């Protein structure tokens, strides 16, 4: 599995997203521009300029028509993928830490930072899927997180719930129409922030990555913890692989937390766990800083990781990856066929 | 009406309208009155004296004085013996000593001492009699002491009979705030025995035979044991820092750097005598303190030198728990007899300049010596023109059995072999210019007639570590060329093995150098508890962390050069445990645990378990991992013959055990597969129900089955309308074949 090294950013990566077809990768970093890449060969398709602060987050709509990005310049921007035109800019009093489209691309949510007397908000906008159309200024919904600030959030299946991960290690389930809090469950260690939340393909369950050195698989319907993946280092990101029942966790000791950081103790590796059995099955080395983000190709062919070192590494899985099966899995497949 | 000057009456002259004498302040007085010592602290009361007449009195006093002056100084005129009306004495006397400390010593050492055949002295402090014997303090009618019902104690050695029948060993893990005891399951997850949060405040410690687990708290020390892990004993030594047991678990020493301060209302275990003391010696079964000691005043460090470190253990026990001794550096060794804790023959052993001493770790039967004895070795540095000296002393006779003079000594370390058959004195020597260093090893053959001393050839380098093979006659040393000092990179070290030559008889031959391994980083030697195997490790080192597993009786071919030696060295395996801080063999010598403790650094804390060959069995990273400790085992009860028998039939046993292991492995695998099958089914059931629910709801909402297909289709249409066909050209280079031609010239 030889990785493709995407050396387009000058500073630490913050988020990577594949489009639905798995042919494009969008990456954002603290260096103020968004990069789009061909996933199969790592060629750069283009960049999106306009933000004037570190970009924390990016997401692409299901038809790869528009991307949204959130930045420390206190804006969410909507871009036309093809022309790189900035379609819309929404301004906020504080930085935007997370954006995400709903599964049908008609809604966009953003999570704003708690700072300077402003509480953390989850805001929702209705999106007109036509890039030529005027986008609304009106917020469809605002959820104020007064208990513990929201760090990550996303839309569940059928746009029914908004699920948010909090700084105190809990997850919340909100009604996506009314913004009403339905449930809040502490699933991670108290006051260890949840730093990533990614969905499976049909958005019925999600994985959280937490600084408490564990990742958890949680059902969107009732927030039951289905699986737990313990790691030996604080995590920054976690993703669920389609096609194979794995999850990929990324993290590592932050450079500021260690006095003498070598690749060895930093644990700058992507870790693969079996989604169902919770066993660690492998690690991929390469980064020389902590992994800030991992993303899985929705078609299941590859995955990409972005590190504090400023590189994106795209790994296309080889035959061994697809052939690997536990005995009981093979048994099940044989029985089904 | 207020009195005017004219109307003044006598009574009004007082500033206050009351008479001080009339006020009852007895309650306040009782509460606040300062306990005046009255100087009675130097007085003791002696009971149990014979009744004597006025004529016999001087004789008795004289006789008594001889006893009394062994612990302090008093005079004839300081003894007051009251006479009864019948002209005879009342069989008690008051004695004044010159200091309170002497009086205290008298009560401790003279109480219950026989005066003659009929009379036994009872010595009490006068203040104590005042305090406990004053009127009203003693009930006039006899109350029989309450004796608690006998309760059966738990079996304290239950763990030796492993319920699984596999003779596993236990270990304790201390991580975060949790202390847990586990059965070692080799490769598998250790089986929990007991786990408690906040079981200890600072550390845990096993007693030397594994009977008790010690927990340390601000209030004192607690011992836990038995199958229910109930509290077996409690030793209330406030702010205790360190604990040390006697070898057979009869006694214990606790130490705190803060002197004990007995509060006004008293202390549950300690008495006012213990005030200001730092060490307490306890009897474990009864939980009573036997005697307490204060820290010794350490000699002032020389200018520019760091103050001398506290020696621990300060109190060292003889192998059979009969004696305990403490060094007064540069002056003497005090040996106390147990259980009374009296100074042996009432005097310390004066040894000018004594630096260090150690008891023989086993009771030795020396050649041609019939009497009971325990051995102490000690060394003194060069003083003036006198040479440095190593001495071997027999206790209780205090006779020097053997001594050895040494010159140009800069330091010496005493190393006893586990059976006390050998004593190695590692002597660091300097040349006359005091520049170059060298080390010699002086080996005392303790069990041989006259205790001959053998010098193992001078080693040019500085020896930083030495260890005897337990129950053997071989040893390993680690030496380094450069002086050990604060350098960024520790200098390279060399590991050398020594063993005796082969001899015809049963005697041990001369010690010969076996092999040296150069350019290592190793700094620690860990012998297996039964010898033969040894781990040479690099601990507390940021750059390297090697573990080398050696066998000294390798059953393979022996090199020709070693044919006269009693060892065949073989490196079995090497391992690497990053950041390892500690290494410990299990008591059976089958496993080695290595761990990286958060007490030393915070990188990759956790433990590893290896088998004796160095094969890694388990690696467990644990956050905030503090301590690992194997539970020790008591000595075997089998006789030499029985052990021999077992060794003879080892093959038989191992066949049975191998079969058991294989069976267990198979059933464990089966269980794992079954558990996985269950998990997988559970997962797919959940997924199916979820997918069905989702499909149903989408249908109900009038949405297509897949949320994306129609979106993508619509998008594709718009693109076709625009008819922007674009060719994405990709050049893929594939290496179809690669041949390598070698041209032979």
């Amino acid at each position: 599995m030889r990785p493709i090294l995407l050396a387009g950013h000058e500073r630490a990566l913050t988020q990577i997203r594949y489009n639905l077809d798995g042919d494009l990768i969008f990456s954002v970093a603290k260096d103020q521009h968004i990069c789009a890449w061909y996933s199969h060969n790592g060629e750069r398709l283009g960049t999106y300029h306009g933000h004037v602060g570190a970009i924390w987050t990016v997401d692409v709509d299901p038809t790869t028509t528009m991307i949204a990005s959130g930045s420390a310049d206190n804006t969410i921007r909507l871009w036309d993928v093809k022309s790189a035109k900035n379609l819309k800019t929404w301004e906020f009093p504080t930085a935007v830490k997370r954006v995400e489209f709903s599964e049908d691309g008609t809604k966009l949510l953003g999570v704003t930072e708690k700072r300077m007397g402003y509480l953390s908000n989850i805001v929702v906008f209705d999106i007109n899927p036509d890039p030529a159309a005027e986008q609304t200024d009106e917020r469809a919904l605002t959820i104020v997180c007064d208990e513990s600030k929201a760090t990550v959030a996303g839309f569940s299946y059928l746009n029914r719930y908004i699920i948010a991960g909090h700084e105190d290690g809990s997850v919340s389930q909100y009604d996506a129409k009314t913004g009403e809090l339905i449930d809040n469950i502490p699933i991670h260690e108290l006051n260890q922030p949840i730093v990533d939340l990614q969905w499976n393909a049909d958005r019925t369950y999600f994985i959280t990555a937490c600084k408490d050195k564990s990742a958890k698989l949680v059902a969107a319907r009732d927030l039951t913890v289905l699986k737990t993946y313990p790691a030996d280092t604080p995590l920054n990101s976690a993703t669920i692989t389609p096609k194979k029942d794995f999850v990929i966790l990324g993290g590592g000791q932050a450079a500021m937390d260690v006095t003498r950081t070598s690749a060895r103790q930093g644990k700058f590796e992507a870790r693969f766990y079996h989604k169902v059995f919770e066993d660690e099955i492998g690690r991929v080395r390469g980064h020389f800083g902590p992994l800030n983000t991992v993303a899985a190709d929705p078609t299941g062919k590859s995955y990409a990781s972005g590190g504090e070192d400023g590189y994106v590494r795209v790994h296309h899985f080889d035959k061994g990856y697809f052939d690997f099966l536990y005995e009981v899995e093979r048994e099940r497949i044989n029985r089904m066929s | 009406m207020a009195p005017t000057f004219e109307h003044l009456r006598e009574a009004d002259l007082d500033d206050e309208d009351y008479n001080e004498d009339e006020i009852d302040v007895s309650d306040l007085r009782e509460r606040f009155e300062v306990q005046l010592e009255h100087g009675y602290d130097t007085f003791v009361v002696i009971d149990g004296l014979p009744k004597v007449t006025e004529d016999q009195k001087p004789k008795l006093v004289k006789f008594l004085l001889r006893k009394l002056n062994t612990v302090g100084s008093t005079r004839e005129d300081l003894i007051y013996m009251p006479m009864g009306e019948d002209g005879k004495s009342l069989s008690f006397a008051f004695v004044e000593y010159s200091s309170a400390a002497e009086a205290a010593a008298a009560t401790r050492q003279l109480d219950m001492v026989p005066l003659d055949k009929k009379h036994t002295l009872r010595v009490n402090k006068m203040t104590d009699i005042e305090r406990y014997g004053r009127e009203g303090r003693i009930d006039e009618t006899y109350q029989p002491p309450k004796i608690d019902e006998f309760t059966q104690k738990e079996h304290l050695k239950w763990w030796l009979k492993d319920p699984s029948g596999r003779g596993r060993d236990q270990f304790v893990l201390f991580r975060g705030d949790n202390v847990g005891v586990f059965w070692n399951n080799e490769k598998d997850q250790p089986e929990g025995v007991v786990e408690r949060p906040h079981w200890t405040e600072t550390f845990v410690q096993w007693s030397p035979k594994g009977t008790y687990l010690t927990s340390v708290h601000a209030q004192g020390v607690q011992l836990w044991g038995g199958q229910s892990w109930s509290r077996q004993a409690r030793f209330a030594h406030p702010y205790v820092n360190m604990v040390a047991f006697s070898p057979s678990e009869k006694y214990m020493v606790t130490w705190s750097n803060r002197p004990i301060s007995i509060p006004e209302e008293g202390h549950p275990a300690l008495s006012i005598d213990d005030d200001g003391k730092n060490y307490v010696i306890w009897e474990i079964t009864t939980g009573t303190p036997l005697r307490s000691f204060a820290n010794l005043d350490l000699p002032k460090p020389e200018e520019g030198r760091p103050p001398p470190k506290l020696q621990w253990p300060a109190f060292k026990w003889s192998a059979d728990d009969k004696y305990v001794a403490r060094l007064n550096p540069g002056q003497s060794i005090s040996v106390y007899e147990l259980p009374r804790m009296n100074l042996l023959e009432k005097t310390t052993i004066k040894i000018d300049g004594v630096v260090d001493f150690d008891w023989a770790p086993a009771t030795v039967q020396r050649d041609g010596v019939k009497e009971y004895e325990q051995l102490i070795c000690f060394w003194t540095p060069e003083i003036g023109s006198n040479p440095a000296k190593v001495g071997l002393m027999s206790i209780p006779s205090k006779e020097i059995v053997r001594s050895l003079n040494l010159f140009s000594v800069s330091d010496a370390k005493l190393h006893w072999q586990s059976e006390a058959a050998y004593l190695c004195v590692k002597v660091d020597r300097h040349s006359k210019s005091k520049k170059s260093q060298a080390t010699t090893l002086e080996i005392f053959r303790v069990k041989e007639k006259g205790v001959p001393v053998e010098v193992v050839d001078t080693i040019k380098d500085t020896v930083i570590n030495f260890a005897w093979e337990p129950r053997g006659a071989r040893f390993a040393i680690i030496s380094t060329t450069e002086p050990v000092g604060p350098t960024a990179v520790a200098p390279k070290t060399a590991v050398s093995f020594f063993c005796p030559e082969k001899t015809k008889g049963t005697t041990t031959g001369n010690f010969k150098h076996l092999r040296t391994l150069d350019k290592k980083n190793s700094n620690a030697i860990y012998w297996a508890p039964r010898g033969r195997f040894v781990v040479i490790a690099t601990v507390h080192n940021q750059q390297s962390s090697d573990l080398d597993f050696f066998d000294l009786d390798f059953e393979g071919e022996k090199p020709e050069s070693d044919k006269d030696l009693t060892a065949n060295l073989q490196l079995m395996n090497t391992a690497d445990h990053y950041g390892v801080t500690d290494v410990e063999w299990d008591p059976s010598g089958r496993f080695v645990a290595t761990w990286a403790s958060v007490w030393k650094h915070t990188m990759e804390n956790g433990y590893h378990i290896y088998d004796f060959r160095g094969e890694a069995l388990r690696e467990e990273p644990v956050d905030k991992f503090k301590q690992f400790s194997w539970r020790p085992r008591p000595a075997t009860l089998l006789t030499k013959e029985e052990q021999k028998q077992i060794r003879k039939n080892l093959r038989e046993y191992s066949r049975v055990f191998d079969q058991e292991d294989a069976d267990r492995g198979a059933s464990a695998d089966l269980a794992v597969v079954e558990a996985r099958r269950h998990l997988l089914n559970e997962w797919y059931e959940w997924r199916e129900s979820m997918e069905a629910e989702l499909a149903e709801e989408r249908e109900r909402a009038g949405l297509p089955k897949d949320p994306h297909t129609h979106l993508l289709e619509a998008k594709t249409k718009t693109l076709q309308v625009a008819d922007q066909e674009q060719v994405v050209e990709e050049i893929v280079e594939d290496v179809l074949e690669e041949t390598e031609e070698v041209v032979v010239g």
Side-chain angles (χ1 to χ4, degrees):
Chain A
M1 203 163 62
R2 173 175 287 200
I4 304 170
L5 197 66
L6 310 184
H9 288 286
E10 286 161 5
R11 290 199 56 204
L13 270 290
T14 50
Q15 199 176 14
I16 297 175
R17 284 286 196 177
Y18 276 87
N19 70 339
L20 192 67
D21 294 324
D23 61 343
L24 291 182
I25 294 171
F26 296 92
S27 63
V28 288
K30 292 180 184 169
D31 60 3
Q32 310 190 358
H33 59 266
I34 307 163
C35 288
W37 316 79
Y38 286 113
S39 66
H40 66 288
N41 63 1
E43 196 188 328
R44 183 148 72 175
L45 177 64
T47 54
Y48 302 81
H49 291 273
H51 277 298
V52 289
I55 307 172
W56 293 114
T57 174
V58 68
D59 196 23
V60 54
D61 77 349
T63 57
T64 323
T65 311
M66 291 183 285
I67 57 170
S69 58
S71 160
D73 64 7
N74 302 352
T75 61
I76 293 179
R77 285 168 198 256
L78 196 68
W79 313 78
D80 181 25
V81 171
K82 214 197 269 172
S83 67
K85 205 178 120 197
N86 187 355
L87 300 174
K88 178 74 191 169
T89 304
W90 290 279
E91 293 201 9
F92 298 92
T94 59
V96 180
K97 295 306 286 271
R98 181 56 73 118
V99 290
E100 193 175 299
F101 284 103
S102 63
E103 63 179 347
D104 55 4
T106 58
K107 283 175 195 296
L108 175 73
L109 71 70
V111 178
T112 65
E113 180 68 288
K114 172 182 173 180
R115 197 154 290 163
M116 298 180 296
Y118 293 96
L119 286 171
S120 154
N121 286 347
I122 301 172
V123 295
V124 178
F125 295 100
D126 285 324
I127 298 293
N128 187 335
D130 180 7
E134 183 78 11
Q135 300 294 344
T136 172
D137 272 322
E138 204 80 9
R139 294 182 188 184
L141 191 66
T142 303
I143 300 166
V144 180
C145 304
D146 45 3
E147 286 271 337
S148 173
K149 89 169 191 207
T151 47
V152 287
F155 284 105
S156 80
Y157 60 97
L158 292 169
N159 301 347
R160 176 165 303 167
Y161 308 116
I162 289 174
I163 306 287
H166 295 274
E167 200 179 25
D168 65 356
S170 68
V171 285
S172 298
Q173 186 188 47
Y174 300 95
D175 185 309
K177 291 215 170 55
T178 63
E180 189 188 330
L181 178 68
I182 302 170
D183 208 351
N184 175 280
I185 296 178
I187 59 167
H188 283 282
E189 248 175 63
L190 186 65
N191 291 334
Q192 295 286 338
I194 294 175
V195 286
D196 198 12
L197 186 157
Q198 294 194 30
W199 296 98
N200 81 319
D202 65 9
R203 302 205 186 202
T204 52
Y205 62 94
F206 57 91
I207 188 164
T208 58
C210 180
K211 288 289 183 194
D212 74 354
K213 305 187 179 181
S214 74
K216 293 191 191 234
L217 209 63
V218 185
R221 182 173 49 180
D222 46 14
L223 300 185
T224 45
V225 175
L226 304 168
K227 302 285 171 190
T228 297
Y229 311 99
D232 54 357
T233 182
L235 295 177
N236 293 330
S237 188
T239 189
I240 302 164
T241 59
K243 305 283 182 268
K244 297 289 287 181
D245 281 331
F246 300 143
V247 297
I248 310 172
L249 316 185
Q253 204 70 260
M256 56 181 285
D257 295 340
V258 286
T259 46
R260 201 177 56 92
T261 309
S262 70
R264 181 194 165 81
Q265 343 146 358
K267 307 183 170 110
F268 309 138
E269 296 151 327
R271 295 128 203 276
F272 282 69
Y273 285 70
H274 195 282
K275 185 168 74 186
V276 181
F277 306 138
E278 305 174 338
D279 294 339
E280 185 176 333
I281 46 184
R283 290 187 187 191
V284 179
R285 292 169 192 277
H287 283 286
F288 45 91
L291 276 70
N292 287 341
T293 173
V294 288
D297 178 351
T299 59
K301 284 185 210 141
S302 67
Y303 88 92
S305 56
E308 186 72 22
D309 57 9
Y311 292 111
V312 177
R313 298 172 78 90
V314 183
H315 299 76
H316 287 271
F317 298 123
D318 49 23
K319 189 168 177 295
Y321 171 85
F322 296 102
D323 289 349
F324 175 84
L325 280 176
Y326 275 67
E327 203 180 315
V328 288
E329 289 182 293
R330 191 162 292 135
E331 213 175 87
R332 184 185 160 82
I333 290 167
N334 292 342
R335 210 169 50 227
M336 305 287 265
S337 57
Chain B
M1 190 186 85
T4 62
F5 189 70
E6 287 91 302
H7 295 104
L8 259 185
R9 285 176 296 129
E10 188 76 351
D12 292 330
L13 275 176
D14 274 342
D15 280 348
E16 282 103 19
D17 293 355
Y18 52 81
N19 191 338
E20 270 183 55
D21 295 338
E22 284 169 11
I23 296 168
D24 181 18
V25 290
S26 62
D27 56 332
L28 293 174
R29 179 157 303 188
E30 206 170 299
R31 260 178 73 191
F32 295 110
E33 190 166 54
V34 178
Q35 273 283 317
L36 288 177
E37 297 296 349
H38 305 301
Y40 287 154
D41 267 355
T42 58
F43 286 87
V44 295
V45 181
I46 302 185
D47 278 301
L49 297 173
K51 279 188 192 275
V52 288
T53 60
E54 197 68 49
D55 301 346
Q56 295 167 305
K57 201 169 113 182
K59 206 173 146 199
L60 175 65
V61 168
K62 229 179 197 163
F63 183 67
L64 199 57
L65 262 177
R66 249 191 279 161
K67 286 257 175 214
L68 297 177
N69 278 334
T70 56
V71 291
S73 70
T74 181
R75 291 190 313 275
E76 229 169 291
D77 57 322
L78 296 178
I79 299 177
Y80 172 65
M81 200 179 286
M83 305 302 280
E85 281 167 11
D86 57 352
K88 282 195 168 184
S89 69
L90 296 168
S91 75
F92 68 90
F94 298 97
V95 177
E96 183 180 357
Y97 273 104
S98 58
S99 76
E102 285 177 15
T107 53
R108 199 160 40 228
Q109 291 178 47
L110 295 180
D111 191 32
M112 293 304 279
V113 168
L115 187 69
D116 58 27
K117 271 179 194 158
K118 282 182 193 159
H119 299 89
T120 305
L121 295 181
R122 299 306 315 264
V123 185
N124 284 299
K125 274 199 259 179
M126 185 127 122
T127 46
D128 281 349
I129 289 189
E130 261 298 296
R131 191 177 320 147
Y132 301 114
R134 207 192 309 162
E135 226 169 299
R137 294 268 167 121
I138 294 174
D139 203 337
E140 289 296 330
T141 53
Y142 172 70
Q143 300 279 1
K146 196 169 154 273
I147 296 167
D148 286 331
E149 281 283 303
F150 172 75
T151 46
Q152 182 87 37
K153 268 207 174 178
E154 278 181 88
H155 191 13
L156 292 176
K157 294 200 165 110
W158 64 278
W159 91 96
L160 293 171
K161 198 173 177 302
D162 176 3
S164 78
R166 288 157 59 196
R168 294 174 298 176
D169 278 296
Q170 287 188 348
F171 57 80
V172 64
L173 293 184
F174 181 22
R175 59 258 192 268
D177 292 319
N178 279 354
V179 176
V181 179
F182 298 86
W183 290 108
N184 172 27
N185 267 349
E186 304 170 30
K187 275 190 174 146
D188 303 322
Q189 184 78 30
E191 182 188 331
V193 181
V194 63
E195 170 117 34
R196 289 175 192 170
H198 304 284
W199 199 347
T200 181
E201 283 174 29
T202 46
F203 62 92
V204 287
Q205 184 174 334
W206 291 105
S207 62
K209 293 174 171 217
T211 315
Y212 307 107
L213 182 67
T214 317
S215 67
V216 183
H217 311 263
Q219 297 86 351
V221 170
Q222 299 190 104
L223 301 188
W224 307 81
Q227 200 150 11
S228 68
W229 295 94
S230 54
R231 185 169 57 219
Q232 302 297 326
R234 201 165 13 172
F235 305 95
H237 184 166
Y239 307 109
V240 58
N241 294 105
M242 297 291 254
V243 184
F245 287 87
S246 70
S248 39
E249 295 183 347
K250 275 190 202 154
Y251 311 104
M252 188 167 80
V253 188
T254 55
W255 174 75
S256 165
N257 64 346
R258 289 202 222 177
I260 295 168
S261 136
I262 303 291
E264 282 280 311
E265 62 274 13
H267 183 272
L270 303 170
S271 69
I272 198 81
D273 288 344
D274 300 316
D275 199 86
K277 304 295 176 66
N278 300 83
Y279 297 91
V280 183
I281 302 202
W282 308 80
E283 190 172 48
I284 289 177
T285 42
T286 56
T288 49
L290 296 178
R291 192 166 172 186
S292 57
F293 296 89
N295 274 351
L296 287 172
D297 291 328
L298 291 171
K300 274 267 160 62
E302 284 172 47
E303 202 62 40
R305 280 204 180 191
K309 273 193 184 156
L310 177 97
Q311 280 208 350
W312 184 263
F315 283 85
K316 296 181 181 173
W317 301 88
S318 68
D320 58 355
D321 279 12
K322 273 232 170 101
Y323 304 103
V324 65
R326 171 161 79 157
L327 176 78
N328 189 353
Q331 294 169 30
S332 59
I333 300 171
S334 311
V335 180
Y336 301 90
E337 272 181 288
L338 287 149
R340 286 178 53 222
M341 280 307 292
N342 56 318
L343 201 55
L344 182 67
E345 290 169 11
K346 298 181 182 92
T347 49
T348 59
I349 305 168
K350 291 251 182 309
I351 305 167
D352 259 344
V354 60
V355 178
D356 196 12
F357 82 103
D358 213 348
W359 289 96
T363 307
V364 193
Q365 193 66 52
R366 275 193 299 141
D367 192 39
V369 177
K370 293 279 186 309
E371 302 87 46
Y372 165 84
E373 66 169 1
Q374 291 291 331
L375 292 176
I376 272 184
C377 69
F378 60 87
W379 79 278
T380 58
E382 283 160 281
I383 303 169
S385 59
N386 290 333
K389 212 177 248 182
V390 177
L392 202 58
M393 183 185 279
S394 170
I395 300 289
S397 68
K398 298 187 181 176
E399 183 192 329
I400 301 274
V401 175
R402 182 75 162 88
S403 79
L404 182 69
N405 291 346
L406 298 164
F407 298 93
S408 2
V409 175
S410 46
D411 195 12
K413 287 276 177 306
L414 310 165
H415 297 276
W416 281 100
Q417 185 253 10
S418 71
E419 290 161 317
Y422 311 101
L423 164 69
C424 177
V425 183
K426 178 176 82 75
V427 187
D428 292 341
R429 292 164 184 262
H430 50 80
S431 61
K432 282 208 174 109
S433 62
K434 295 208 171 181
K435 265 185 188 148
S436 56
Q437 285 271 352
T439 306
T440 54
L441 303 173
E442 318 265 345
I443 298 178
F444 291 65
R445 291 161 175 266
V446 179
K447 286 187 177 169
E448 289 172 31
K449 196 167 177 70
V451 192
V453 178
E454 184 182 331
V455 184
V456 177
D457 45 325
T458 310
I459 298 146
K460 284 271 158 55
D461 305 333
T462 315
V463 176
I464 53 167
N465 214 326
F466 175 99
W468 282 104
E469 174 185 24
R471 314 210 258 177
R474 298 176 288 203
F475 58 87
I477 62 170
I478 296 178
S479 57
T480 181
T481 47
E482 293 153 61
V484 185
T487 47
V489 179
K492 288 284 175 201
T493 57
V495 182
S496 309
F497 295 91
F498 291 82
C499 67
E501 272 183 311
K502 271 188 188 157
T503 51
K504 293 221 173 71
T506 51
T507 53
T508 313
N510 289 338
F511 290 100
K512 284 280 186 266
H513 173 249
L514 173 65
R515 192 136 318 132
T516 297
L517 306 162
D518 273 334
K519 298 200 178 80
K520 308 284 286 180
N521 294 310
S522 316
N523 53 17
I525 308 166
Y526 301 95
W527 282 95
R530 286 154 192 273
R532 177 167 171 179
F533 304 104
V534 63
V535 177
I536 307 288
T538 313
V539 297
H540 296 294
N541 188 312
Q542 302 219 317
Q543 276 79 35
S544 76
S545 47
D546 309 322
L547 303 164
D548 294 336
F549 292 76
F550 289 98
D551 180 0
L552 267 81
D553 288 320
F554 180 58
E555 282 156 5
E557 208 174 312
K558 196 170 181 178
E560 185 61 23
S561 56
D562 297 348
K563 70 177 190 333
D564 293 333
L565 299 175
T566 54
N568 188 8
L569 187 74
Q570 174 74 27
L571 175 64
M572 292 185 293
N573 217 336
T574 57
D576 186 40
H577 178 177
Y578 178 77
V580 60
T581 57
D582 300 87
V583 177
E584 194 179 308
W585 281 85
D586 85 322
S588 66
R590 292 175 293 178
F591 305 100
V592 182
T594 63
W595 63 98
S597 165
V598 73
W599 286 332
K600 313 276 170 56
H601 61 72
T602 54
M603 291 174 289
E604 297 194 20
N605 301 127
Y607 71 93
H608 292 190
I609 292 181
Y610 299 88
D611 70 4
F612 70 96
R613 288 170 305 184
E615 203 106 342
L617 298 177
R618 262 191 94 67
E619 293 188 7
E620 192 145 350
V622 185
D623 245 1
K624 296 188 194 119
F625 188 86
K626 290 179 177 163
Q627 203 185 353
F628 182 107
S629 186
W630 290 101
R631 187 171 201 174
R633 286 162 177 259
T636 177
L637 297 173
L638 298 177
T639 61
K640 278 238 159 72
E641 281 67 42
E642 286 169 315
Q643 291 183 42
K644 216 179 216 169
Q645 201 63 34
I646 289 173
R647 223 166 285 141
K648 225 171 96 189
N649 298 330
L650 210 56
R651 259 169 223 284
E652 291 290 313
Y653 289 115
S654 66
R655 212 176 46 227
V656 176
F657 290 143
D658 285 346
Q659 186 58 44
E660 277 179 18
D661 284 351
D663 290 352
R664 196 175 50 251
S667 68
D669 287 349
L670 223 62
V672 168
V673 167
E674 196 43 57
R676 284 201 185 129
R677 191 172 290 141
H678 176 73
L679 280 174
L680 201 65
N681 287 339
E682 199 180 61
W683 173 257
Y684 279 105
E685 270 167 35
W686 183 79
R687 281 297 299 156
E688 274 158 27
S689 79
M690 200 66 229
E691 276 166 16
E693 186 185 315
L694 187 60
E696 194 184 311
E697 288 189 27
R698 290 195 75 93
E699 205 179 313
R700 204 185 307 149
L703 289 168
K705 257 193 180 156
D706 186 304
H708 300 129
T709 331
H710 70 284
L711 286 175
L712 293 176
E713 272 169 12
K715 172 85 177 172
T716 315
K717 267 183 207 138
T718 62
L719 288 179
Q720 276 164 351
V721 169
D723 193 26
Q724 284 178 322
E725 196 158 306
Q726 203 182 347
V727 179
V728 177
E729 200 173 304
E730 188 191 350
I731 300 162
V732 181
E733 262 183 65
D734 253 334
V735 180
L736 297 174
E737 198 182 355
E738 221 169 15
T739 55
E740 197 173 326
E741 278 177 48
V742 180
V743 181
V744 184

